[in-house]
Each structure stands twice: as C-alpha cells, then as structure tokens.
Amino acid sequence: METMHSAALVTGASRGLGAAMARALAAQGTRVALVARGQEELERTAATIRAAGGEVHPIVADLGDKRAAHAIAAAAMSLVGPLDLLVHNASTLGNVPLRPLMDTDCEALGRALEVNVVGPLRLTKLLVASMLLRGRGLVVQITSDASVNAYAGWGAYGVSKAALDHLGRILGAELEGTGVRVLSVDPGEMNTRMHADAMPGADTHTLLEPETVAQRILHLMRSGSALPNGARVEAAAWEAFA
C-alpha cells in the first residue's frame, strides 16, 4: 500500500474530473495546488475545498502556453511544498463541434498537442527533479479510449492522447528504479462539460460522475504499485482493484 500524498498539483482543476480529484485529495489531507485558465470557476472550486477544511491554492494559467510552465511549477512548489503527486488532467478537444481530421484546422491540432502533450511534459520535466532527489513521486496522466480507438471526428484529441500514452510509457521506462512512477489512466465516459461539448446529445444517465471516478483513481494510486512503470490502465482493469 502506497502512502498518502502530502502535496499535489492538479491541472484542469476548475471543474469536472480535475475538480473532483482536487476535492478528494484535499479531503484526505493532501495540500493541493490547482491550475486552470478560468479564474472564476477555479476560485469557486477552491472555495468549496476550503469550506470543507482542505488546503488549496489556485493558480490561474494556460497549460498550453510555453511561458506559463515555469511560473506554474514555481508557484505550486512555493505554495504546497515539494510535490509527490502531479495529475495531468487538463485537456482540449481541438475543434468544437468535432469534425473529420481532414477538416480539422492544423492550428487546432497544434493546440491540442500543446495542451494535451507538450504542456504536461514541460511540467513533468520541471517538477519530477525534486521527486527524483527524494526518491519518490507519482505522475498521473488522464487519457481516453480515443487514444486507442479510431473514432471519426475525434482526430485531434485522439492523436494527442495517443501521444500522451506513449510519452507515459517512455517516461516510465526512463524512470524505472528511481522511485518515481508514471501511470496513464483512462477514466471512461463521464458526465462533464467536455463530454457534453463533444457529444451534446448523450444520455447523461449512462455516464460516470467525476466524483466516482476520482475515488477510483485514488484507490488505484494507493494499490497499483504492482503495475509496470508507465502503464496505461483502462476502466475495465479497475475491477482488479475494487
């Protein structure tokens, strides 16, 4: 059983799974730094965590902006101390409404890669160094089944998540034996604004709630140390940890 994380940074934490992860972590005593672009939503999420007695520090920034990476890393470490958990949850779909890849603006694909792949790598490079010095830490990458299944219209998002999965595998191989682990977690379809933007007519009753998924991910983080470093875990595999 892995120990509880004392300090975490969660990206895309103003709503959806990111906010649910932040609330769940704070509820177990983790000091949490939150990153998102929207200040108003981010402050609301932080306020709910504080009201429940948690320690939380919002950081307004755009993960896809190269200039923001050092500021995010510095602020997070200053506010919550050396991190032992980094959750890459921030994502963008690319063009909305979704459209075929041949009709997708290359700029939209570039933006998806910046937010969903390059931005997480920038933060990982900046924050894992202190984990390596202490010989422990966990990087969780939130992925999607669109990374392994070719869904028409999901091109920019699917390509970027496939790249994120493989980035996690490579980092896991390179960090093997250091005490720092990387996991890519496919949460399944959730009742979030992003899902509504992608599939506006979906029946929300068939979707998982972010709070439920957040608890599953925390359980996986605590009990999944036997998984290979860099592993990609799908929703169906969670049965093994239930």
Side-chain angles (χ1 to χ4, degrees):
M1 182 74 68
E2 294 182 5
T3 58
M4 184 180 70
H5 299 282
S6 59
L9 172 63
V10 182
T11 70
S14 60
R15 52 187 167 87
L17 179 59
M21 284 289 296
R23 287 191 291 268
L25 286 165
Q28 68 176 20
T30 302
R31 302 184 303 276
V32 187
L34 312 182
V35 178
R37 289 182 298 161
Q39 181 170 1
E40 186 174 339
E41 284 186 315
L42 189 63
E43 291 289 354
R44 280 202 298 268
T45 297
T48 63
I49 293 172
R50 291 192 190 103
E55 180 179 343
V56 61
H57 302 275
I59 302 169
V60 179
D62 181 354
L63 192 64
D65 182 355
K66 178 180 181 179
R67 297 165 297 180
H70 282 85
I72 293 170
M77 289 189 289
S78 173
L79 292 166
V80 301
L83 297 173
D84 47 19
L85 174 63
L86 172 58
V87 180
H88 292 306
N89 172 73
S91 290
T92 182
L93 290 166
N95 286 132
V96 177
L98 299 180
R99 62 192 68 175
L101 193 56
M102 291 296 289
D103 296 331
T104 298
D105 301 328
C106 290
E107 291 78 9
L109 175 59
R111 171 68 178 170
L113 290 169
E114 281 290 323
V115 174
N116 300 354
V117 186
V118 182
L121 178 59
R122 288 191 189 108
L123 273 186
T124 298
K125 290 171 65 176
L126 291 168
L127 294 170
V128 161
S130 67
M131 296 182 185
L132 290 171
L133 287 173
R134 289 173 287 125
R136 68 180 189 278
L138 177 63
V139 179
V140 175
Q141 304 184 149
I142 303 301
T143 184
S144 165
D145 68 333
S147 73
V148 294
N149 295 304
Y151 297 128
W154 290 76
Y157 184 74
V159 166
S160 66
K161 288 298 185 179
L164 183 68
D165 283 355
H166 203 52
L167 185 150
R169 295 185 190 101
I170 293 170
L171 288 177
E174 293 178 345
L175 294 170
E176 186 64 38
T178 65
V180 179
R181 295 175 48 75
V182 181
L183 288 178
S184 295
V185 181
D186 174 4
E189 293 189 273
M190 294 177 291
N191 184 17
T192 62
R193 188 184 305 174
M194 175 176 278
H195 193 279
D197 288 342
M199 303 177 68
D203 180 359
T204 58
H205 293 95
T206 66
L207 305 176
L208 293 166
E209 291 299 323
E211 290 76 15
T212 300
V213 176
Q215 291 298 329
R216 290 184 178 182
I217 294 175
L218 260 62
H219 185 70
L220 174 63
M221 292 191 308
R222 289 192 297 267
S223 58
S225 58
L227 292 168
N229 205 346
R232 182 188 189 280
V233 184
E234 298 180 10
W238 282 333
E239 296 299 327
F241 304 105

